[in-house]
Amino acid sequence: MSHEKLVLLETHSGVATITLNRPERLNSLTVPMHEALRDALDRVAADPELRCVLLTGAGRGFCAGQDLSDPATMGNGEAPDLGHTLETYYNPLVRRLRSLEKPVVCAVNGVAAGAGANLALACDLVLAARSASFIQAFCKIGLAPDCGGSYFLPRLVGSARAMGLAMLGEKLSAEQAADWGLIWRCIDDEQLLPEAKALAANLASGPTRGLALIKQEIHASIDNDLETQLNLERDLQRQAGQTEDHREGVNAFLEKRKPCYRGR
Ligand code: T3D
């Protein structure tokens, strides 16, 4: 399969839909998939017309994490340097998603295991099909969480639940994930993609720069004290106040009409 086909990028009305496309292996990640995903995210970052990302998986799974049979990362019989794999592929992927100045919606269409589960958690708004599940599968093969999991999990669900998920590797249903606050919403299977697309379209027609500042504020708040966060709010609101979209939002309110945001 060609490099591009491993990850599909479709664009429509400002939404870039990125689909992990190796369904026969539950979209587990190989080096060429990492490269294709990186290229797709770089294209989205560079195109101001693309104002929201929707990430999902083809077939019955979202992503089963690292492809455990990929000789490029699994060491070809010798002990692999997984630190190198993380530094080269997974860590840049998480940084790319978090620093993208556009909202990233994740539609978890099926099982999300290992780095696949944490790839979803690196996105900004996570929706999951009712039949989907999240598995911190690392402990089953003698590894520890990566792809940001050890950062996201305790912050989203608290240390006790994070520890249980990471040490036991039990399947967490989408419903439970939503109840615990790991994800935004659990949705009936047949409604997942329509709802995720509608959400992404809504965000893509929103005040993109303001949304990017919200993303930055909320992600930063997890580590900041109140004083630091108040200063950040001051600085980011200053930027937001200078956008065309802010002016448009206020004018539309005063003129009692729907705002037309251009992402500027
Ligand atoms: O480089 C590094 O290693 C560092 C980075 C590590 C990051 C990680 O993500 S480590 C964790 C890796 N992932 C896993 O350990 C999960 C492995 N997969 C599973 O445990 C199960 O497949 C699932 C629980 C996710 C789903 O189970 P089920 O029963 O629904 O499906 P299945 O039959 O196991 O899988 C379907 C096919 O996909 C199957 O192939 P086959 O038998 O039909 O030819 C299976 O081997 C393949 N598959 C699933 N996951 C992976 C995979 N092939 C390669 N790598 C996988 N991760």
Side-chain angles (χ1 to χ4, degrees), residues 22-26 28 60 64-69 73-74 82 85-86 90 111 113-116 135 137-138 141 143 146 171:
R22 221 164 59 98
E24 70 287 358
R25 285 281 175 275
L26 301 181
S28 53
R60 73 178 178 88
Q66 169 65 34
D67 183 319
L68 297 175
S69 64
T73 48
M74 299 315 293
L82 301 187
T85 310
L86 297 191
Y90 287 95
V111 66
I135 310 174
F138 308 91
I141 54 170
L143 296 183
D146 61 24
K171 187 184 280 195

PDB file of all heavy atoms in Angstrom, residues 22-26 28 60 64-69 73-74 82 85-86 90 111 113-116 135 137-138 141 143 146 171, ligand 1:
ATOM      1  N   ARG A  22      -5.421   1.261   7.880  1.00  0.00           N
ATOM      2  CA  ARG A  22      -4.848  -0.084   7.769  1.00  0.00           C
ATOM      3  C   ARG A  22      -5.756  -1.007   8.584  1.00  0.00           C
ATOM      4  O   ARG A  22      -5.368  -1.570   9.606  1.00  0.00           O
ATOM      5  CB  ARG A  22      -3.406  -0.096   8.298  1.00  0.00           C
ATOM      6  CG  ARG A  22      -2.444  -0.949   7.439  1.00  0.00           C
ATOM      7  CD  ARG A  22      -1.014  -0.601   7.769  1.00  0.00           C
ATOM      8  NE  ARG A  22      -0.746  -0.822   9.157  1.00  0.00           N
ATOM      9  CZ  ARG A  22      -0.147  -1.925   9.664  1.00  0.00           C
ATOM     10  NH1 ARG A  22       0.270  -2.879   8.866  1.00  0.00           N
ATOM     11  NH2 ARG A  22       0.049  -2.039  10.959  1.00  0.00           N
ATOM     12  N   PRO A  23      -7.016  -1.083   8.132  1.00  0.00           N
ATOM     13  CA  PRO A  23      -8.034  -1.728   8.968  1.00  0.00           C
ATOM     14  C   PRO A  23      -7.727  -3.185   9.289  1.00  0.00           C
ATOM     15  O   PRO A  23      -8.104  -3.670  10.359  1.00  0.00           O
ATOM     16  CB  PRO A  23      -9.318  -1.612   8.117  1.00  0.00           C
ATOM     17  CG  PRO A  23      -8.876  -1.273   6.738  1.00  0.00           C
ATOM     18  CD  PRO A  23      -7.565  -0.574   6.858  1.00  0.00           C
ATOM     19  N   GLU A  24      -7.016  -3.879   8.398  1.00  0.00           N
ATOM     20  CA  GLU A  24      -6.750  -5.315   8.649  1.00  0.00           C
ATOM     21  C   GLU A  24      -5.823  -5.508   9.844  1.00  0.00           C
ATOM     22  O   GLU A  24      -5.753  -6.611  10.404  1.00  0.00           O
ATOM     23  CB  GLU A  24      -6.215  -5.988   7.383  1.00  0.00           C
ATOM     24  CG  GLU A  24      -4.807  -5.612   6.939  1.00  0.00           C
ATOM     25  CD  GLU A  24      -4.678  -4.205   6.324  1.00  0.00           C
ATOM     26  OE1 GLU A  24      -5.696  -3.501   6.201  1.00  0.00           O
ATOM     27  OE2 GLU A  24      -3.535  -3.827   5.974  1.00  0.00           O
ATOM     28  N   ARG A  25      -5.132  -4.474  10.268  1.00  0.00           N
ATOM     29  CA  ARG A  25      -4.264  -4.521  11.460  1.00  0.00           C
ATOM     30  C   ARG A  25      -4.769  -3.530  12.506  1.00  0.00           C
ATOM     31  O   ARG A  25      -3.991  -3.015  13.311  1.00  0.00           O
ATOM     32  CB  ARG A  25      -2.815  -4.183  11.079  1.00  0.00           C
ATOM     33  CG  ARG A  25      -2.094  -5.293  10.355  1.00  0.00           C
ATOM     34  CD  ARG A  25      -1.617  -6.360  11.379  1.00  0.00           C
ATOM     35  NE  ARG A  25      -1.020  -7.504  10.739  1.00  0.00           N
ATOM     36  CZ  ARG A  25      -1.707  -8.561  10.261  1.00  0.00           C
ATOM     37  NH1 ARG A  25      -3.022  -8.591  10.342  1.00  0.00           N
ATOM     38  NH2 ARG A  25      -1.084  -9.575   9.715  1.00  0.00           N
ATOM     39  N   LEU A  26      -6.066  -3.278  12.458  1.00  0.00           N
ATOM     40  CA  LEU A  26      -6.694  -2.334  13.402  1.00  0.00           C
ATOM     41  C   LEU A  26      -5.943  -1.002  13.454  1.00  0.00           C
ATOM     42  O   LEU A  26      -5.817  -0.379  14.508  1.00  0.00           O
ATOM     43  CB  LEU A  26      -6.794  -2.949  14.806  1.00  0.00           C
ATOM     44  CG  LEU A  26      -7.599  -4.258  14.908  1.00  0.00           C
ATOM     45  CD1 LEU A  26      -7.643  -4.756  16.357  1.00  0.00           C
ATOM     46  CD2 LEU A  26      -9.008  -4.101  14.382  1.00  0.00           C
ATOM     47  N   SER A  28      -2.946  -0.250  13.426  1.00  0.00           N
ATOM     48  CA  SER A  28      -1.752  -0.127  14.273  1.00  0.00           C
ATOM     49  C   SER A  28      -0.677   0.607  13.463  1.00  0.00           C
ATOM     50  O   SER A  28      -0.638   0.559  12.231  1.00  0.00           O
ATOM     51  CB  SER A  28      -1.278  -1.494  14.758  1.00  0.00           C
ATOM     52  OG  SER A  28      -1.112  -2.375  13.682  1.00  0.00           O
ATOM     53  N   ARG A  60     -13.086  -1.602  11.780  1.00  0.00           N
ATOM     54  CA  ARG A  60     -13.713  -1.811  13.091  1.00  0.00           C
ATOM     55  C   ARG A  60     -12.888  -1.306  14.268  1.00  0.00           C
ATOM     56  O   ARG A  60     -13.358  -1.344  15.408  1.00  0.00           O
ATOM     57  CB  ARG A  60     -14.055  -3.291  13.270  1.00  0.00           C
ATOM     58  CG  ARG A  60     -12.863  -4.199  13.510  1.00  0.00           C
ATOM     59  CD  ARG A  60     -13.313  -5.642  13.732  1.00  0.00           C
ATOM     60  NE  ARG A  60     -12.186  -6.544  13.910  1.00  0.00           N
ATOM     61  CZ  ARG A  60     -11.613  -6.811  15.082  1.00  0.00           C
ATOM     62  NH1 ARG A  60     -12.048  -6.237  16.172  1.00  0.00           N
ATOM     63  NH2 ARG A  60     -10.597  -7.663  15.154  1.00  0.00           N
ATOM     64  N   ALA A  64      -4.703   0.302  17.142  1.00  0.00           N
ATOM     65  CA  ALA A  64      -4.202  -0.674  18.142  1.00  0.00           C
ATOM     66  C   ALA A  64      -2.788  -0.350  18.578  1.00  0.00           C
ATOM     67  O   ALA A  64      -2.047  -1.239  19.030  1.00  0.00           O
ATOM     68  CB  ALA A  64      -4.313  -2.088  17.589  1.00  0.00           C
ATOM     69  N   GLY A  65      -2.389   0.913  18.448  1.00  0.00           N
ATOM     70  CA  GLY A  65      -1.070   1.330  18.937  1.00  0.00           C
ATOM     71  C   GLY A  65       0.034   0.922  17.980  1.00  0.00           C
ATOM     72  O   GLY A  65      -0.175   0.764  16.768  1.00  0.00           O
ATOM     73  N   GLN A  66       1.201   0.759  18.548  1.00  0.00           N
ATOM     74  CA  GLN A  66       2.368   0.365  17.739  1.00  0.00           C
ATOM     75  C   GLN A  66       2.113  -0.973  17.046  1.00  0.00           C
ATOM     76  O   GLN A  66       1.621  -1.912  17.682  1.00  0.00           O
ATOM     77  CB  GLN A  66       3.588   0.258  18.659  1.00  0.00           C
ATOM     78  CG  GLN A  66       4.810  -0.376  18.039  1.00  0.00           C
ATOM     79  CD  GLN A  66       5.367   0.459  16.897  1.00  0.00           C
ATOM     80  OE1 GLN A  66       5.318   1.675  16.920  1.00  0.00           O
ATOM     81  NE2 GLN A  66       5.873  -0.214  15.881  1.00  0.00           N
ATOM     82  N   ASP A  67       2.453  -1.068  15.769  1.00  0.00           N
ATOM     83  CA  ASP A  67       2.409  -2.369  15.086  1.00  0.00           C
ATOM     84  C   ASP A  67       3.534  -3.233  15.649  1.00  0.00           C
ATOM     85  O   ASP A  67       4.720  -2.949  15.436  1.00  0.00           O
ATOM     86  CB  ASP A  67       2.566  -2.189  13.573  1.00  0.00           C
ATOM     87  CG  ASP A  67       2.439  -3.525  12.845  1.00  0.00           C
ATOM     88  OD1 ASP A  67       2.983  -4.526  13.355  1.00  0.00           O
ATOM     89  OD2 ASP A  67       1.806  -3.570  11.784  1.00  0.00           O
ATOM     90  N   LEU A  68       3.139  -4.270  16.369  1.00  0.00           N
ATOM     91  CA  LEU A  68       4.128  -5.081  17.086  1.00  0.00           C
ATOM     92  C   LEU A  68       4.913  -5.995  16.154  1.00  0.00           C
ATOM     93  O   LEU A  68       5.829  -6.686  16.597  1.00  0.00           O
ATOM     94  CB  LEU A  68       3.426  -5.891  18.182  1.00  0.00           C
ATOM     95  CG  LEU A  68       2.762  -5.030  19.267  1.00  0.00           C
ATOM     96  CD1 LEU A  68       1.977  -5.890  20.242  1.00  0.00           C
ATOM     97  CD2 LEU A  68       3.793  -4.194  20.016  1.00  0.00           C
ATOM     98  N   SER A  69       4.562  -6.005  14.878  1.00  0.00           N
ATOM     99  CA  SER A  69       5.319  -6.837  13.935  1.00  0.00           C
ATOM    100  C   SER A  69       6.167  -5.989  12.992  1.00  0.00           C
ATOM    101  O   SER A  69       6.756  -6.505  12.048  1.00  0.00           O
ATOM    102  CB  SER A  69       4.357  -7.705  13.119  1.00  0.00           C
ATOM    103  OG  SER A  69       3.528  -6.878  12.335  1.00  0.00           O
ATOM    104  N   THR A  73      10.680  -0.871  13.864  1.00  0.00           N
ATOM    105  CA  THR A  73      10.750  -0.376  15.243  1.00  0.00           C
ATOM    106  C   THR A  73      10.947  -1.498  16.247  1.00  0.00           C
ATOM    107  O   THR A  73      11.350  -1.239  17.381  1.00  0.00           O
ATOM    108  CB  THR A  73       9.459   0.393  15.623  1.00  0.00           C
ATOM    109  OG1 THR A  73       8.351  -0.400  15.229  1.00  0.00           O
ATOM    110  CG2 THR A  73       9.390   1.734  14.957  1.00  0.00           C
ATOM    111  N   MET A  74      10.678  -2.736  15.862  1.00  0.00           N
ATOM    112  CA  MET A  74      10.700  -3.810  16.854  1.00  0.00           C
ATOM    113  C   MET A  74      12.050  -4.520  16.954  1.00  0.00           C
ATOM    114  O   MET A  74      12.184  -5.501  17.674  1.00  0.00           O
ATOM    115  CB  MET A  74       9.564  -4.812  16.587  1.00  0.00           C
ATOM    116  CG  MET A  74       8.176  -4.178  16.676  1.00  0.00           C
ATOM    117  SD  MET A  74       7.927  -3.086  18.124  1.00  0.00           S
ATOM    118  CE  MET A  74       7.989  -4.264  19.446  1.00  0.00           C
ATOM    119  N   LEU A  82      13.386   1.485  22.017  1.00  0.00           N
ATOM    120  CA  LEU A  82      12.055   2.098  21.929  1.00  0.00           C
ATOM    121  C   LEU A  82      12.098   3.586  22.268  1.00  0.00           C
ATOM    122  O   LEU A  82      11.222   4.338  21.852  1.00  0.00           O
ATOM    123  CB  LEU A  82      11.066   1.357  22.832  1.00  0.00           C
ATOM    124  CG  LEU A  82      10.884  -0.139  22.510  1.00  0.00           C
ATOM    125  CD1 LEU A  82       9.756  -0.734  23.346  1.00  0.00           C
ATOM    126  CD2 LEU A  82      10.608  -0.369  21.035  1.00  0.00           C
ATOM    127  N   THR A  85      12.297   5.202  19.076  1.00  0.00           N
ATOM    128  CA  THR A  85      10.984   5.218  18.397  1.00  0.00           C
ATOM    129  C   THR A  85      10.113   6.345  18.948  1.00  0.00           C
ATOM    130  O   THR A  85       9.460   7.067  18.189  1.00  0.00           O
ATOM    131  CB  THR A  85      10.244   3.879  18.632  1.00  0.00           C
ATOM    132  OG1 THR A  85      11.129   2.815  18.327  1.00  0.00           O
ATOM    133  CG2 THR A  85       9.005   3.771  17.776  1.00  0.00           C
ATOM    134  N   LEU A  86      10.121   6.490  20.258  1.00  0.00           N
ATOM    135  CA  LEU A  86       9.285   7.548  20.853  1.00  0.00           C
ATOM    136  C   LEU A  86       9.790   8.924  20.429  1.00  0.00           C
ATOM    137  O   LEU A  86       9.006   9.790  20.035  1.00  0.00           O
ATOM    138  CB  LEU A  86       9.276   7.443  22.379  1.00  0.00           C
ATOM    139  CG  LEU A  86       8.673   6.166  22.968  1.00  0.00           C
ATOM    140  CD1 LEU A  86       8.477   6.316  24.467  1.00  0.00           C
ATOM    141  CD2 LEU A  86       7.355   5.819  22.318  1.00  0.00           C
ATOM    142  N   TYR A  90       6.545   9.078  18.084  1.00  0.00           N
ATOM    143  CA  TYR A  90       5.376   9.338  18.942  1.00  0.00           C
ATOM    144  C   TYR A  90       5.413  10.723  19.584  1.00  0.00           C
ATOM    145  O   TYR A  90       4.405  11.427  19.614  1.00  0.00           O
ATOM    146  CB  TYR A  90       5.254   8.246  20.011  1.00  0.00           C
ATOM    147  CG  TYR A  90       4.784   6.932  19.413  1.00  0.00           C
ATOM    148  CD1 TYR A  90       5.684   5.946  19.035  1.00  0.00           C
ATOM    149  CD2 TYR A  90       3.427   6.708  19.194  1.00  0.00           C
ATOM    150  CE1 TYR A  90       5.255   4.761  18.462  1.00  0.00           C
ATOM    151  CE2 TYR A  90       2.989   5.518  18.626  1.00  0.00           C
ATOM    152  CZ  TYR A  90       3.898   4.550  18.257  1.00  0.00           C
ATOM    153  OH  TYR A  90       3.463   3.393  17.684  1.00  0.00           O
ATOM    154  N   VAL A 111     -11.880  -0.128  18.834  1.00  0.00           N
ATOM    155  CA  VAL A 111     -10.895  -0.266  19.901  1.00  0.00           C
ATOM    156  C   VAL A 111      -9.718   0.717  19.713  1.00  0.00           C
ATOM    157  O   VAL A 111      -9.248   0.941  18.585  1.00  0.00           O
ATOM    158  CB  VAL A 111     -10.407  -1.733  20.004  1.00  0.00           C
ATOM    159  CG1 VAL A 111      -9.642  -2.163  18.772  1.00  0.00           C
ATOM    160  CG2 VAL A 111      -9.577  -1.950  21.261  1.00  0.00           C
ATOM    161  N   ALA A 113      -6.080   1.040  21.480  1.00  0.00           N
ATOM    162  CA  ALA A 113      -5.211   0.327  22.427  1.00  0.00           C
ATOM    163  C   ALA A 113      -3.796   0.897  22.401  1.00  0.00           C
ATOM    164  O   ALA A 113      -3.329   1.383  21.368  1.00  0.00           O
ATOM    165  CB  ALA A 113      -5.179  -1.165  22.089  1.00  0.00           C
ATOM    166  N   GLY A 114      -3.120   0.816  23.542  1.00  0.00           N
ATOM    167  CA  GLY A 114      -1.735   1.282  23.624  1.00  0.00           C
ATOM    168  C   GLY A 114      -1.625   2.725  23.167  1.00  0.00           C
ATOM    169  O   GLY A 114      -2.423   3.592  23.561  1.00  0.00           O
ATOM    170  N   ALA A 115      -0.647   2.972  22.314  1.00  0.00           N
ATOM    171  CA  ALA A 115      -0.452   4.332  21.819  1.00  0.00           C
ATOM    172  C   ALA A 115      -1.676   4.828  21.045  1.00  0.00           C
ATOM    173  O   ALA A 115      -1.871   6.041  20.906  1.00  0.00           O
ATOM    174  CB  ALA A 115       0.791   4.390  20.932  1.00  0.00           C
ATOM    175  N   GLY A 116      -2.498   3.905  20.569  1.00  0.00           N
ATOM    176  CA  GLY A 116      -3.733   4.297  19.871  1.00  0.00           C
ATOM    177  C   GLY A 116      -4.705   4.974  20.817  1.00  0.00           C
ATOM    178  O   GLY A 116      -5.384   5.945  20.448  1.00  0.00           O
ATOM    179  N   ILE A 135      -7.850   0.765  25.828  1.00  0.00           N
ATOM    180  CA  ILE A 135      -7.039  -0.215  26.563  1.00  0.00           C
ATOM    181  C   ILE A 135      -5.604   0.308  26.672  1.00  0.00           C
ATOM    182  O   ILE A 135      -4.949   0.541  25.649  1.00  0.00           O
ATOM    183  CB  ILE A 135      -7.004  -1.589  25.841  1.00  0.00           C
ATOM    184  CG1 ILE A 135      -8.420  -2.050  25.467  1.00  0.00           C
ATOM    185  CG2 ILE A 135      -6.301  -2.631  26.704  1.00  0.00           C
ATOM    186  CD1 ILE A 135      -8.444  -3.325  24.621  1.00  0.00           C
ATOM    187  N   ALA A 137      -2.737  -0.993  26.824  1.00  0.00           N
ATOM    188  CA  ALA A 137      -2.262  -2.367  26.607  1.00  0.00           C
ATOM    189  C   ALA A 137      -0.775  -2.561  26.948  1.00  0.00           C
ATOM    190  O   ALA A 137      -0.285  -3.694  26.943  1.00  0.00           O
ATOM    191  CB  ALA A 137      -2.496  -2.745  25.142  1.00  0.00           C
ATOM    192  N   PHE A 138      -0.091  -1.484  27.234  1.00  0.00           N
ATOM    193  CA  PHE A 138       1.371  -1.543  27.419  1.00  0.00           C
ATOM    194  C   PHE A 138       1.795  -2.600  28.447  1.00  0.00           C
ATOM    195  O   PHE A 138       2.740  -3.359  28.236  1.00  0.00           O
ATOM    196  CB  PHE A 138       1.904  -0.175  27.873  1.00  0.00           C
ATOM    197  CG  PHE A 138       1.479   0.960  26.991  1.00  0.00           C
ATOM    198  CD1 PHE A 138       0.312   1.673  27.254  1.00  0.00           C
ATOM    199  CD2 PHE A 138       2.249   1.324  25.889  1.00  0.00           C
ATOM    200  CE1 PHE A 138      -0.081   2.727  26.437  1.00  0.00           C
ATOM    201  CE2 PHE A 138       1.858   2.380  25.074  1.00  0.00           C
ATOM    202  CZ  PHE A 138       0.689   3.076  25.353  1.00  0.00           C
ATOM    203  N   ILE A 141       2.544  -6.229  27.651  1.00  0.00           N
ATOM    204  CA  ILE A 141       3.765  -6.629  26.931  1.00  0.00           C
ATOM    205  C   ILE A 141       5.012  -6.027  27.604  1.00  0.00           C
ATOM    206  O   ILE A 141       6.033  -5.807  26.952  1.00  0.00           O
ATOM    207  CB  ILE A 141       3.693  -6.244  25.427  1.00  0.00           C
ATOM    208  CG1 ILE A 141       3.373  -4.754  25.254  1.00  0.00           C
ATOM    209  CG2 ILE A 141       2.685  -7.104  24.685  1.00  0.00           C
ATOM    210  CD1 ILE A 141       3.530  -4.251  23.822  1.00  0.00           C
ATOM    211  N   LEU A 143       5.592  -3.081  28.863  1.00  0.00           N
ATOM    212  CA  LEU A 143       5.947  -1.672  28.615  1.00  0.00           C
ATOM    213  C   LEU A 143       5.159  -0.755  29.540  1.00  0.00           C
ATOM    214  O   LEU A 143       4.245  -1.191  30.231  1.00  0.00           O
ATOM    215  CB  LEU A 143       5.664  -1.309  27.147  1.00  0.00           C
ATOM    216  CG  LEU A 143       6.465  -2.037  26.069  1.00  0.00           C
ATOM    217  CD1 LEU A 143       6.100  -1.497  24.689  1.00  0.00           C
ATOM    218  CD2 LEU A 143       7.973  -1.889  26.306  1.00  0.00           C
ATOM    219  N   ASP A 146       2.969   5.335  26.833  1.00  0.00           N
ATOM    220  CA  ASP A 146       3.693   6.361  26.080  1.00  0.00           C
ATOM    221  C   ASP A 146       2.693   7.138  25.240  1.00  0.00           C
ATOM    222  O   ASP A 146       1.492   7.068  25.485  1.00  0.00           O
ATOM    223  CB  ASP A 146       4.831   5.740  25.240  1.00  0.00           C
ATOM    224  CG  ASP A 146       4.335   4.733  24.217  1.00  0.00           C
ATOM    225  OD1 ASP A 146       3.156   4.810  23.807  1.00  0.00           O
ATOM    226  OD2 ASP A 146       5.128   3.871  23.794  1.00  0.00           O
ATOM    227  N   LYS A 171      -9.974  -3.417  29.584  1.00  0.00           N
ATOM    228  CA  LYS A 171     -10.731  -2.684  28.563  1.00  0.00           C
ATOM    229  C   LYS A 171     -11.683  -1.706  29.254  1.00  0.00           C
ATOM    230  O   LYS A 171     -12.462  -2.109  30.118  1.00  0.00           O
ATOM    231  CB  LYS A 171     -11.532  -3.701  27.750  1.00  0.00           C
ATOM    232  CG  LYS A 171     -12.240  -3.132  26.567  1.00  0.00           C
ATOM    233  CD  LYS A 171     -13.088  -4.189  25.879  1.00  0.00           C
ATOM    234  CE  LYS A 171     -12.249  -5.086  24.981  1.00  0.00           C
ATOM    235  NZ  LYS A 171     -13.099  -5.874  24.045  1.00  0.00           N
TER     236      LYS A 171
HETATM  237  O1  T3D B   1       8.001   0.898  19.247  1.00  0.00           O
HETATM  238  C1  T3D B   1       7.408   0.609  20.300  1.00  0.00           C
HETATM  239  O2  T3D B   1       6.964  -0.513  20.529  1.00  0.00           O
HETATM  240  C2  T3D B   1       7.167   1.681  21.324  1.00  0.00           C
HETATM  241  C3  T3D B   1       5.799   2.135  21.261  1.00  0.00           C
HETATM  242  C4  T3D B   1       4.817   1.413  21.842  1.00  0.00           C
HETATM  243  C5  T3D B   1       3.453   1.921  21.771  1.00  0.00           C
HETATM  244  C6  T3D B   1       2.382   0.881  21.880  1.00  0.00           C
HETATM  245  O3  T3D B   1       1.345   1.135  21.359  1.00  0.00           O
HETATM  246  S1  T3D B   1       2.667  -0.565  22.724  1.00  0.00           S
HETATM  247  C7  T3D B   1       1.074  -1.366  22.643  1.00  0.00           C
HETATM  248  C8  T3D B   1       0.865  -2.023  21.310  1.00  0.00           C
HETATM  249  N1  T3D B   1      -0.493  -2.506  21.142  1.00  0.00           N
HETATM  250  C9  T3D B   1      -0.941  -3.592  21.736  1.00  0.00           C
HETATM  251  O4  T3D B   1      -0.291  -4.257  22.517  1.00  0.00           O
HETATM  252  C10 T3D B   1      -2.339  -4.036  21.349  1.00  0.00           C
HETATM  253  C11 T3D B   1      -2.284  -5.343  20.599  1.00  0.00           C
HETATM  254  N2  T3D B   1      -3.606  -5.717  20.118  1.00  0.00           N
HETATM  255  C12 T3D B   1      -4.528  -6.265  20.907  1.00  0.00           C
HETATM  256  O5  T3D B   1      -4.340  -6.473  22.098  1.00  0.00           O
HETATM  257  C13 T3D B   1      -5.809  -6.645  20.248  1.00  0.00           C
HETATM  258  O6  T3D B   1      -5.597  -6.743  18.863  1.00  0.00           O
HETATM  259  C14 T3D B   1      -6.951  -5.645  20.523  1.00  0.00           C
HETATM  260  C15 T3D B   1      -7.378  -5.774  21.998  1.00  0.00           C
HETATM  261  C16 T3D B   1      -6.536  -4.228  20.223  1.00  0.00           C
HETATM  262  C17 T3D B   1      -8.164  -6.007  19.637  1.00  0.00           C
HETATM  263  O7  T3D B   1      -8.482  -7.358  19.788  1.00  0.00           O
HETATM  264  P1  T3D B   1      -9.462  -8.079  18.728  1.00  0.00           P
HETATM  265  O8  T3D B   1      -9.681  -9.465  19.244  1.00  0.00           O
HETATM  266  O9  T3D B   1     -10.639  -7.215  18.511  1.00  0.00           O
HETATM  267  O10 T3D B   1      -8.648  -8.101  17.344  1.00  0.00           O
HETATM  268  P2  T3D B   1      -7.421  -9.037  16.930  1.00  0.00           P
HETATM  269  O11 T3D B   1      -7.932 -10.287  16.315  1.00  0.00           O
HETATM  270  O12 T3D B   1      -6.477  -9.191  18.092  1.00  0.00           O
HETATM  271  O13 T3D B   1      -6.699  -8.115  15.851  1.00  0.00           O
HETATM  272  C18 T3D B   1      -7.091  -8.098  14.479  1.00  0.00           C
HETATM  273  C19 T3D B   1      -5.848  -8.206  13.633  1.00  0.00           C
HETATM  274  O14 T3D B   1      -5.043  -7.051  13.888  1.00  0.00           O
HETATM  275  C20 T3D B   1      -5.011  -9.411  14.027  1.00  0.00           C
HETATM  276  O15 T3D B   1      -4.373  -9.874  12.855  1.00  0.00           O
HETATM  277  P3  T3D B   1      -4.815 -11.290  12.194  1.00  0.00           P
HETATM  278  O16 T3D B   1      -4.708 -12.327  13.267  1.00  0.00           O
HETATM  279  O17 T3D B   1      -6.237 -11.078  11.755  1.00  0.00           O
HETATM  280  O18 T3D B   1      -3.851 -11.475  11.051  1.00  0.00           O
HETATM  281  C21 T3D B   1      -3.985  -8.822  14.961  1.00  0.00           C
HETATM  282  O19 T3D B   1      -2.792  -9.552  15.007  1.00  0.00           O
HETATM  283  C22 T3D B   1      -3.750  -7.473  14.314  1.00  0.00           C
HETATM  284  N3  T3D B   1      -3.257  -6.507  15.324  1.00  0.00           N
HETATM  285  C23 T3D B   1      -3.935  -5.949  16.333  1.00  0.00           C
HETATM  286  N4  T3D B   1      -3.145  -5.145  17.016  1.00  0.00           N
HETATM  287  C24 T3D B   1      -1.946  -5.168  16.436  1.00  0.00           C
HETATM  288  C25 T3D B   1      -1.993  -6.053  15.339  1.00  0.00           C
HETATM  289  N5  T3D B   1      -0.944  -6.293  14.563  1.00  0.00           N
HETATM  290  C26 T3D B   1       0.222  -5.655  14.869  1.00  0.00           C
HETATM  291  N6  T3D B   1       0.334  -4.801  15.912  1.00  0.00           N
HETATM  292  C27 T3D B   1      -0.704  -4.530  16.720  1.00  0.00           C
HETATM  293  N7  T3D B   1      -0.579  -3.641  17.725  1.00  0.00           N
END
